[in-house]
Amino acid sequence: MSAGPTIDFATILGTLGGFALIVAAMVLGGSPGAFVDVPAMLIVLGGSFLITTVSFSFKEILKAQKVMLKAVAYQQREPQDAALQVLHLAELARKNGALGMEAHMKDFRNEPFLKKAMDLVIDGTTGEEVERVMLREAESTVYRHNRSAGVLRRAGEVAPAMGLIGTLVGLVQMLGNLEDPSSIGPAMAVALLTTFYGAVLANMVFLPLANKLERNSGLEAMVNQIYAMGAASIGRQENPRRLETMLNSILPPAQRVNYFD
């Protein structure tokens, strides 16, 4: 039975640890309140969100926010484990026939891709058709994930730019009111803090999350390819040993399996 979603402590530790170091530096400096400026936040946070929507639709923006959660809690599936799983299924199918797999369908409730593939096999779909359908679905999944990662990457590009724009706004305000010393401080705060906020958002939130989503998407793509190959092989009623050879041809050398040895 496949495992459910797990917490990615590397993402949590890295993000919270990075912010903790920055906060610690602020506190040790003696004036953490100096790093809080509402106008600067509005320019960077609001501007980054709104300008990112120019490149995408609202639907894609909202979907990206949901996909971001997968960087923290996702279903961890290693290609080697997926290969061993389909080889086990292929061995069962060779002994009991494809229809005998129905008793094991409950084990796939956390694996919708594998469940759909095995449903096609049980329904009598040819191996070639199973492979064609499932690989097409795998490609569609990769495309959706890449679009969501693209939203985060675009936000990572926009945030520093909005910080620069905020810096220019603050400098213009400061130079336009040099005769009023009381206005120089707030204007300079906007100028400096917008750059700070933009750099933090881009390099500590948006870009790292985009990289993690792409990493997880690549891993999921390989797992889905293994599932598609396994279901197609079962549908063609091939020898499981041949399937093992095919799977090892796409697995990294360190993760190749020896199920029948």
Side-chain angles (χ1 to χ4, degrees):
M1 185 178 297
S2 58
T6 57
I7 301 298
D8 183 4
F9 291 103
T11 299
I12 296 175
L13 178 62
T15 303
L16 295 182
F19 277 101
L21 290 175
I22 292 179
V23 172
M26 294 177 182
V27 173
L28 292 175
S31 56
F35 291 87
V36 179
D37 187 83
V38 175
M41 290 181 180
L42 291 176
I43 292 174
V44 176
L45 293 175
S48 297
F49 175 78
L50 293 174
I51 299 305
T52 302
T53 61
V54 176
S55 302
F56 302 90
S57 66
F58 278 110
K59 184 177 180 180
E60 288 174 319
I61 296 294
L62 294 176
K63 184 179 295 184
Q65 293 177 357
K66 295 179 180 178
V67 174
M68 285 173 62
L69 296 176
K70 291 187 177 181
V72 178
Y74 68 99
Q75 189 164 328
Q76 187 173 6
R77 296 176 296 178
E78 293 295 333
Q80 185 180 48
D81 296 334
L84 292 173
Q85 186 178 15
V86 296
L87 287 170
H88 176 66
L89 293 176
E91 189 176 32
L92 291 176
R94 190 168 181 84
K95 293 178 180 178
N96 306 321
L99 292 178
M101 300 302 300
E102 287 187 277
H104 300 274
M105 294 304 291
K106 64 180 183 298
D107 296 338
F108 311 145
R109 61 175 178 268
N110 291 325
E111 296 283 1
F113 189 93
L114 179 59
K115 184 178 184 303
K116 181 175 181 179
M118 296 310 301
D119 281 337
L120 291 173
V121 172
I122 292 172
D123 290 341
T125 308
T126 64
E128 289 73 15
E129 183 66 16
V130 170
E131 189 168 28
R132 183 161 50 249
V133 170
M134 298 314 299
L135 288 180
R136 189 179 301 123
E137 180 161 333
E139 291 174 359
S140 178
T141 300
V142 170
Y143 174 78
R144 292 195 302 271
H145 289 175
N146 286 342
R147 290 293 288 178
S148 297
V151 172
L152 293 176
R153 287 205 172 277
R154 180 56 181 159
E157 296 171 357
V158 170
M162 293 306 302
L164 177 59
I165 291 173
T167 298
L168 297 176
V169 170
L171 291 176
V172 169
Q173 291 176 341
M174 182 184 68
L175 294 175
N177 295 280
L178 289 178
E179 71 282 357
D180 181 10
S182 64
S183 67
I184 295 178
M188 182 60 73
V190 172
L192 296 178
L193 288 176
T194 49
T195 300
F196 173 71
Y197 292 155
V200 167
L201 278 178
N203 296 288
M204 297 184 64
V205 180
F206 295 137
L207 295 180
L209 287 178
N211 287 336
K212 179 55 70 73
L213 289 177
E214 289 174 348
R215 178 261 183 192
N216 292 347
S217 178
L219 188 63
E220 183 175 354
M222 175 170 284
V223 169
N224 286 343
Q225 183 181 3
I226 290 171
Y227 286 156
M229 291 176 61
S233 178
I234 294 172
R236 289 191 291 263
Q237 299 181 352
E238 295 177 343
N239 191 314
R241 291 183 179 273
R242 183 176 186 276
L243 174 60
E244 182 183 66
T245 301
M246 293 171 57
L247 294 176
N248 282 333
S249 69
I250 66 171
L251 286 170
Q255 294 194 29
R256 289 175 181 170
V257 297
N258 295 293
Y259 184 83
F260 295 102
D261 292 342

